Amino acid sequence: MAVANKSIYAALLANLLIAITKFIAGAISNSAAMIAEGVHSVVDTINQLLLLLGLSLSKKQPDKYHPLGYGKELYFWSFVVSILIFGLGGGISVYQGITHILHPQKLGDVTWSYVVLAISVVFEGASLIIAAKEFNKLREGQTWWDAIIRSKDPSTFLVLFEDSAAVVGLFIVATCLYLSHHLNKPYIDGIASLLIGLILIAVSLILAHESRSLLMGEGIKKGTKKRIKEITESDKGVLSLMHLMSTYQSPEEILVMMIVAFKPNLNTNEINDSIDRIREEIKIEFALIKFVIIQPDVYADKVDPDVQAYI
């Protein structure tokens, strides 16, 4: 979580420093693209605050209403962030762009826009470099895209995507603002705003897909399932692992549920001892697996009712 926090705080600071200046420059230059960038920075600032809220709430201790903890709070707030990027960031930018394309307005003094863009590139670029370095520590030899797809902590790749979109957007604004000013074609400024909106919408759809997958209960990888099966079936009291289900409760907590067929000659204590051994060995080998629920297969053979599945 510390890695994610560093990236989030860096992005939050960068967006706070430049959001107001973008709006001022946009008002002076009458630039829709600069206003769109200002909206983008405000939305990003709100997003960082929501991610920090999600991280904080996800650390709450289990209680009688949530016995498995509050880890999925992070996934919920990450999904909310993706919706905000779509609705506020992308939607408003597209609206501004279409409006200024259909009804172009003469640009005012663009000097301050260039100054703000230069400052923004420095701060957003610095934030992106920090986010990329922190995410790179988590890749473990995977490609960047594979690491993003397989990551169970949306707070890490959310910041990376946001900062990347921000930097690309700044270069689009700078290019279109220059062309609009020197060619005296104000509608080009609207095109920049439209392009920024489409980029944000594309980013939001990717982030929403990943966050939704985690929120709905994404499970462990095939390799991990295979190893758990080996551990379970190597126990002296087990006939076979019948079913295995899993879900990420948070980036640092996994719940595993298994139905296991035990040897028919075992008594209650022997089955419970076998459950203890399997559970402990799984937890020792896989540090993220915090909860292991094992249910004896009552259909394979009659099981003593005193044998209970437990965490």
Side-chain angles (χ1 to χ4, degrees):
M1 290 294 187
V3 171
N5 283 355
K6 185 175 180 180
S7 299
I8 294 171
Y9 282 122
L12 177 61
L13 179 61
N15 287 312
L16 282 174
L17 288 172
I18 62 181
I20 296 176
T21 56
K22 283 180 179 178
F23 280 120
I24 294 174
I28 294 173
S29 64
N30 199 26
S31 170
M34 283 303 299
I35 296 297
E37 273 297 303
V39 172
H40 184 182
S41 293
V42 170
V43 172
D44 282 353
T45 301
I46 296 172
N47 290 344
Q48 315 313 326
L49 292 173
L50 290 178
L51 283 177
L52 290 172
L53 174 64
L55 285 168
S56 176
L57 292 176
S58 69
K59 296 176 182 177
K60 289 174 62 177
Q61 294 299 310
D63 55 35
K64 64 180 181 179
Y65 299 108
H66 298 84
L68 297 179
Y70 289 80
K72 288 187 181 291
E73 287 276 8
L74 176 58
Y75 299 151
F76 169 76
W77 289 107
S78 297
F79 187 75
V80 170
V81 165
S82 68
I83 299 302
L84 285 177
I85 294 174
F86 181 92
L88 292 181
I92 293 176
S93 297
V94 167
Y95 173 77
Q96 285 276 351
I98 293 175
T99 300
H100 280 72
I101 291 172
L102 296 177
H103 308 286
Q105 298 179 17
K106 185 177 180 180
L107 291 175
D109 185 2
V110 296
T111 303
W112 279 107
S113 291
Y114 288 127
V115 172
V116 170
L117 284 172
I119 294 172
S120 299
V121 168
V122 172
F123 284 116
E124 295 282 15
S127 177
L128 175 58
I129 290 171
I130 291 173
K133 284 183 176 180
E134 296 303 311
F135 189 77
N136 190 49
K137 296 176 183 178
L138 307 175
R139 286 200 303 129
E140 298 179 343
Q142 303 175 85
T143 65
W144 285 85
W145 183 250
D146 285 343
I148 290 169
I149 295 299
R150 295 174 182 174
S151 174
K152 309 306 177 187
D153 187 351
S155 63
T156 56
F157 58 78
L158 268 168
V159 175
L160 187 64
F161 267 97
E162 283 185 350
D163 288 345
S164 299
V167 171
V168 171
L170 288 170
F171 282 104
I172 289 175
V173 171
T175 302
C176 290
L177 193 62
Y178 176 83
L179 292 174
S180 180
H181 180 66
H182 285 271
L183 298 178
N184 194 28
K185 296 185 182 297
Y187 70 86
I188 296 178
D189 183 66
I191 292 175
S193 179
L194 178 61
L195 290 174
I196 291 169
L198 293 176
I199 289 172
L200 292 177
I201 289 173
V203 167
S204 71
L205 291 176
I206 295 172
L207 296 178
H209 178 271
E210 292 304 309
S211 298
R212 176 183 176 276
S213 178
L214 291 166
L215 187 61
M216 295 297 290
E218 193 170 312
I220 56 179
K221 295 183 293 186
K222 289 183 178 180
T224 305
K225 288 183 178 180
K226 181 179 178 182
R227 179 57 187 146
I228 290 176
K229 180 177 175 66
E230 291 173 352
I231 290 173
T232 302
E233 295 185 345
S234 66
D235 188 86
K236 63 182 181 180
V238 173
L239 281 176
S240 66
L241 173 60
M242 307 300 291
H243 300 285
L244 189 155
M245 296 166 285
S246 63
T247 180
Y248 273 80
Q249 294 298 113
S250 78
E252 299 174 346
E253 292 181 329
I254 301 172
L255 166 65
V256 172
M257 298 158 283
M258 300 189 294
I259 297 178
V260 178
F262 291 93
K263 293 179 179 178
N265 60 330
L266 300 182
N267 59 36
T268 300
N269 290 332
E270 289 172 330
I271 292 177
N272 286 333
D273 288 342
S274 183
I275 289 175
D276 279 336
R277 290 192 300 269
I278 296 167
R279 181 189 60 183
E280 290 306 311
E281 191 170 346
I282 291 173
K283 286 186 175 183
I284 289 172
E285 184 157 339
F286 300 100
L288 293 183
I289 298 179
K290 305 297 184 182
F291 311 100
V292 180
I293 300 175
I294 300 177
Q295 173 66 54
D297 181 17
V298 296
Y299 300 106
D301 210 300
K302 290 184 178 180
V303 176
D304 191 314
D306 293 329
V307 177
Q308 300 293 326
Y310 57 92
I311 296 177

